[in-house]
Amino acid sequence: VKALCHRFHSVARQLRLRGEYRATLSVEDEFDVQDLLHALLRLQFDDIGTDEWTPSYTEGAPRTTFLLNDNRLAVLVKKTRTGLTAKDLTEQLRIDTERYRAKNRCTTLLCFIYDPEGRIGNPRGLEATLTTVNDSFTLDVLISPK
């Protein structure tokens, strides 16, 4: 899953560079990122569950989390945008982590943050700050591209 996330930007860029004046397939928002990642996960996983919920920070817009490996791994998708700061992302992840830890839905929550414009100034530092591992639950944060 991490390899797919690391290569995600290359795939999105390739889809944008279609030849012969063909309509492009662009990744503009978080829902586009979810859709493309879901398609890419199908290359490796036959059984992909989903958990749709509406966190308070989305102002009523539902978010989908992908559940893999008998629900032991949950993959959460985020995309940077104007006005969404590293502090905002940190708070969103706190809310998401509390929900998945409390519901015992998974043992690992992988948060894939797609940052095509490089809005996060220190992606490796933010990954290190947000990634947590303990005996019962792991939050793994991956920001791409770097």
Side-chain angles (χ1 to χ4, degrees), residues 18-35:
R18 298 185 71 203
E20 299 188 26
Y21 305 103
R22 298 183 64 80
T24 61
L25 303 170
S26 59
V27 178
E28 300 295 325
D29 60 23
E30 195 167 286
F31 296 106
D32 294 336
V33 177
Q34 285 178 356
D35 290 342

Side-chain angles (χ1 to χ4, degrees), residues 81-117:
R81 64 182 184 282
T82 302
L84 181 67
T85 66
K87 182 180 177 182
D88 296 332
L89 284 169
T90 300
E91 177 60 17
Q92 289 180 13
L93 277 179
R94 185 192 62 74
I95 292 167
D96 296 332
T97 301
E98 284 178 12
R99 178 177 190 270
Y100 282 95
R101 183 180 291 143
K103 290 183 72 176
N104 290 325
R105 286 293 303 220
C106 61
T107 56
T108 300
L109 176 62
L110 171 61
C111 179
F112 170 49
I113 302 173
Y114 183 49
D115 185 25
E117 294 92 15

Side-chain angles (χ1 to χ4, degrees), residues 1 5 30 33-34 37 41 51-53 55 57-58 62-68 73-79 89 92-100 106 108-114 137 139-142:
V1 174
C5 291
E30 195 167 286
V33 177
Q34 285 178 356
L37 184 62
L41 288 170
D51 181 31
E52 190 170 293
W53 73 297
Y57 59 79
T58 63
R63 294 295 186 257
T64 300
T65 302
F66 303 113
L67 304 170
L68 308 168
L73 172 62
V75 181
L76 179 68
V77 173
K78 298 195 178 288
K79 183 184 179 298
L89 284 169
Q92 289 180 13
L93 277 179
R94 185 192 62 74
I95 292 167
D96 296 332
T97 301
E98 284 178 12
R99 178 177 190 270
Y100 282 95
C106 61
T108 300
L109 176 62
L110 171 61
C111 179
F112 170 49
I113 302 173
Y114 183 49
F137 189 83
L139 170 62
D140 198 357
V141 178
L142 189 151

